[in-house]
Amino acid sequence: MLAAALSDLAQLFANDHTVAAYEIQSSGIVETLLSSLNPMESGVTKQIFSDRTNTFKKSFTQFPTR
């Protein structure tokens, strides 16, 4: 479920015309990602943190950068 959500989010970010910077900033997406990928804030085990980080990396590296 996390992998699918992050993949969808990465796909939205990959297209310049899908979502505006203001929408990203005001939506709370960045803050949520930061807190879920920060082991000190999320309070999860090292294994869960590692799994989340790897899922994030896979999702956001599948799209080419410009």
Side-chain angles (χ1 to χ4, degrees), residues 34-58:
L34 287 173
S35 67
S36 66
L37 295 171
N38 182 345
M40 301 306 251
E41 286 188 32
S42 59
V44 296
T45 64
K46 286 184 180 183
Q47 182 61 45
I48 292 172
F49 171 70
S50 178
D51 292 345
R52 284 183 184 176
T53 304
N54 290 333
T55 301
F56 178 84
K57 287 177 185 177
K58 274 191 227 173

